[in-house]
Amino acid sequence: MTMRNFNDAQEYLDYGLRNLWHPVLASWEVNDSPVGITRLGDNIVVWRDEDGKVHALEDRCPHRGARLSLGWNLGNRVACWYHGVEVRFDGVVEDVPAVASCPMTGADCVKSYHVQEVQGAIFIWFGIDDSAPDELIFPEQLASDDWSSFLCMADWKVNYQYAVDNVMDPMHGTYLHSASHSMYQGDRQADMSLRMTKTGFVFEKEGQTGVNFDWVEYGQTGAAWLRLSIPYQEKFGPGGSFWIVGYATPIDKDNTRVFFFRCRNVQGWERDTWRFLYRNYLEGLHWDVLEQDRIVLELLAPDARDHEFLYQHDVGITRLRRMFKRAAENQFGLYQAYQKSKENVDVVGATIHPAE
Ligand code: FES
Ligand SMILES: [Fe+2]
């Protein structure tokens, strides 16, 4: 099994923290054919078996390294397009049809991933080693039936850390999104403060609530999420404030897929009203707002984070960066140790291959 090597903790961090669930695709993106994706720098093939269950393997044929995602979906396994090798969902080679008896058959050659499909999204556990994944716990807006949500995604040409910074920065709403139907109100100046929670922290404007993008929360409950709410006037339908639960999944070190679940507390006919209104009117407005974020982020000065002059509004950003850095230093050590132990196993495993 081939694994990426990182030179240092910063490079490790640039590809994304592990020992977390990350959303990787929307459910509707995986149908009959295998899908090839890159997340956290890993090339992964994702497919759905005949029961609808989603599987994920390293997207690399153990024979000669062809992309398994170019091949066929055979239910509980995928077949490589190049010479037909069939790899099961657990990474074991089930068949090498081109050879009568091949020592690769029955060998565990390909890295497999834990997968969960929840809330219309496919989550993959990016573990550092082979230990069991943590439980994936959602914030109330996704966990409770009282809420209704839409999953909206975008791919941004920017490292995920910039996407996270952007959400950890409530003050930009008042300026960048001032033309938005929901974000033009409130003071254009604020003192900000930080409050720890059981799962992370809240960063908020002092003395202003229920007006604009007044606060943001970072939480870690099996996955790393961001949460915020935008107050809505009644004319934008039932359900009170509009909530966003967001995840920024690294594609590689220069690209990110953002997942924003847009939620409102609505039941019964009000839910139908809100869903109709959202699809026909509000979604377009929200895409406009997201596009403003994308433009600013993709056009930031090169390596912007290396030459910043931060001030009081950026305390949430600096706190989260510190947490990420510490986690990366810790994980980088664990990752290196695990890679080393794997290399030894691979040398032993190589004896199953005829040398010549
Ligand atoms: S490279 Fe996949 S079967 Fe040969
Ligand atoms: Fe924004």
Side-chain angles (χ1 to χ4, degrees):
M1 297 176 212
T2 46
M3 301 285 268
R4 174 176 298 280
N5 269 320
F6 303 103
N7 292 312
D8 53 40
Q10 183 57 51
E11 191 185 2
Y12 179 93
L13 180 59
D14 289 344
Y15 278 90
L17 290 174
R18 290 170 188 255
N19 277 357
L20 287 171
W21 291 96
H22 290 275
V24 298
L25 287 164
S27 290
W28 55 263
E29 292 179 286
V30 185
N31 297 305
D32 295 338
S33 305
V35 179
I37 56 171
T38 303
R39 300 287 184 267
L40 280 73
D42 291 3
N43 295 325
I44 302 169
V45 53
V46 180
W47 79 99
R48 208 178 271 287
D49 67 21
E50 49 276 79
D51 299 326
K53 190 169 162 35
V54 179
H55 304 284
L57 287 174
E58 179 188 1
D59 192 7
R60 183 182 192 284
C61 179
H63 177 217
R64 297 262 309 285
R67 290 284 193 127
L68 290 170
S69 55
L70 295 173
W72 289 278
N73 177 353
L74 299 182
N76 72 345
R77 61 201 194 282
V78 277
C80 180
W81 190 23
Y82 209 2
H83 314 93
V85 163
E86 296 177 14
V87 187
R88 215 165 54 198
F89 64 90
D90 56 1
V92 170
V93 174
E94 182 146 313
D95 195 15
V96 182
V99 186
S101 110
C102 176
M104 198 178 9
T105 307
D108 181 2
C109 296
V110 182
K111 177 181 163 59
S112 61
Y113 293 85
H114 295 274
V115 181
Q116 282 192 63
E117 187 172 13
V118 225
Q119 291 293 347
I122 294 165
F123 286 76
I124 285 182
W125 172 255
F126 288 83
I128 293 175
D129 56 27
D130 300 326
S131 49
D134 292 350
E135 194 184 350
L136 172 57
I137 298 169
F138 289 111
E140 185 202 335
Q141 287 71 24
L142 293 178
S144 158
D145 289 341
D146 290 346
W147 295 75
S148 177
S149 62
F150 289 92
L151 168 58
C152 301
M153 301 175 307
D155 286 355
W156 287 345
K157 294 186 185 62
V158 68
N159 183 277
Y160 76 97
Q161 293 163 91
Y162 290 98
V164 172
D165 287 349
N166 181 59
V167 184
M168 285 313 300
D169 167 21
M171 206 61 206
H172 88 263
T174 318
Y175 290 87
L176 178 63
H177 307 310
S178 59
S180 144
H181 70 286
S182 55
M183 290 208 250
Y184 61 89
Q185 286 176 315
D187 287 341
R188 294 173 77 80
Q189 246 185 35
D191 285 330
M192 313 283 296
S193 60
L194 195 143
R195 175 165 54 84
M196 298 311 288
T197 64
K198 279 201 189 95
T199 56
F201 65 88
V202 171
F203 185 55
E204 58 200 337
K205 289 180 190 165
E206 286 175 7
Q208 180 179 302
T209 48
V211 181
N212 196 327
F213 175 11
D214 301 323
W215 59 272
V216 61
E217 178 179 3
Y218 172 77
Q220 206 171 299
T221 52
W225 46 262
L226 298 153
R227 173 164 64 171
L228 59 101
S229 76
I230 312 275
Y232 261 18
Q233 297 164 24
E234 268 173 28
K235 66 176 175 183
F236 295 110
S241 286
F242 170 74
W243 289 69
I244 298 174
V245 177
Y247 301 80
T249 302
I251 293 174
D252 54 29
K253 75 179 178 33
D254 301 313
N255 294 279
T256 304
R257 175 169 281 206
V258 290
F259 293 77
F260 292 119
F261 291 88
R262 296 162 171 179
C263 322
R264 286 188 95 178
N265 190 330
V266 272
Q267 301 90 39
W269 67 268
E270 289 194 334
R271 177 168 299 189
D272 298 338
T273 306
W274 134 250
R275 295 191 75 84
F276 180 82
L277 187 66
Y278 185 83
R279 275 288 182 237
N280 289 284
Y281 177 58
L282 296 171
E283 184 170 9
L285 301 175
H286 291 158
W287 279 117
D288 292 346
V289 169
L290 215 55
E291 190 59 6
Q292 292 157 358
D293 290 316
R294 185 190 67 77
I295 289 168
V296 167
L297 293 179
E298 290 189 352
L299 296 176
L300 282 173
D303 301 318
R305 283 164 61 112
D306 299 341
H307 308 281
E308 294 171 325
F309 201 129
L310 301 180
Y311 53 91
Q312 206 260 340
H313 293 168
D314 305 312
V315 167
I317 290 176
T318 46
R319 170 63 68 100
L320 194 53
R321 286 182 186 177
R322 220 166 37 237
M323 286 167 62
F324 276 21
K325 185 163 182 278
R326 226 175 295 138
E329 283 163 0
N330 187 266
Q331 291 195 3
F332 178 56
L334 297 172
Y335 193 84
Q336 279 185 312
Y338 180 70
Q339 295 301 89
K340 232 183 170 52
S341 72
K342 267 297 193 213
E343 275 166 27
N344 297 337
V345 171
D346 281 349
V347 171
V348 176
T351 56
I352 65 162
H353 304 290
E356 261 89 35

